[in-house]
Amino acid sequence: MRFFYTPRWLQALQPQYTWRVKNTSKKLFLTFDDGPIAEITPFVLDTLARFGAKATFFCVGDNIRKHPAIFQTILERGHSVGNHTQHHLDGWRTENDLYIENIQACATYLPADCKLFRPPYGKIKSSQFKAMRQ
């Protein structure tokens, strides 16, 4: 398992992004990236159900295309979903137009009211962020 995080110094340089949400209650926020994946997501969903827990799944559009039934199960069980691009692109290594097209392509698989986005690897250029917000 690999953990990706954005260094605090970079977070400080990009205050327009939401890096953390203040929480004073005893809550744990669970998020899962890159799915749905046939070998893993059903296990995660069943484990969450056993504990009556909800999570947010940041989904890759191509994986939704490959596993629509698993994605539908995520929604039916009341979990939140977010956009994680169509092909899990690294924003720092991708031209802006292609990156925005990837976000839009993934959005076609998501509920119309989905407003959550998490850039893969935590990497997005300021110019991509500005274009995405438009």
Side-chain angles (χ1 to χ4, degrees):
M1 178 183 300
R2 295 179 354 185
F3 293 94
F4 292 95
Y5 70 96
T6 305
R8 291 200 189 254
W9 65 266
L10 185 56
Q11 293 176 27
L13 292 175
Q14 302 290 332
Q16 69 271 30
Y17 304 146
T18 302
W19 297 104
R20 289 180 167 57
V21 177
K22 289 187 180 186
N23 177 33
T24 57
S25 62
K26 290 186 176 187
K27 289 184 181 179
L28 177 66
F29 295 89
L30 297 172
T31 63
F32 298 92
D33 291 358
D34 307 343
I37 300 169
E39 299 80 15
I40 298 168
T41 307
F43 168 78
V44 170
L45 290 169
D46 290 344
T47 302
L48 291 168
R50 241 185 14 242
F51 292 96
K54 299 293 180 202
T56 300
F57 290 81
F58 287 92
C59 298
V60 172
D62 196 48
N63 288 343
I64 298 171
R65 181 190 61 78
K66 292 175 188 173
H67 309 291
I70 298 172
F71 181 71
Q72 190 60 37
T73 302
I74 292 170
L75 297 174
E76 288 170 356
R77 293 194 183 177
H79 299 284
S80 298
V81 294
N83 190 322
H84 204 48
T85 75
Q86 183 69 12
H87 295 105
H88 203 268
L89 298 181
D90 179 334
W92 290 359
R93 296 180 179 188
T94 307
E95 293 297 320
N96 290 0
D97 290 343
L98 177 59
Y99 196 75
I100 298 305
E101 287 171 14
N102 243 250
I103 293 168
Q104 292 169 338
C106 181
T108 65
Y109 293 100
L110 300 170
D113 62 347
C114 178
K115 303 241 185 276
L116 299 175
F117 174 76
R118 177 179 285 168
Y121 313 105
K123 296 178 180 178
I124 185 171
K125 298 175 198 168
S126 293
S127 55
Q128 292 165 340
F129 179 75
K130 289 175 188 171
M132 182 182 71
R133 299 231 9 189
Q134 293 173 0

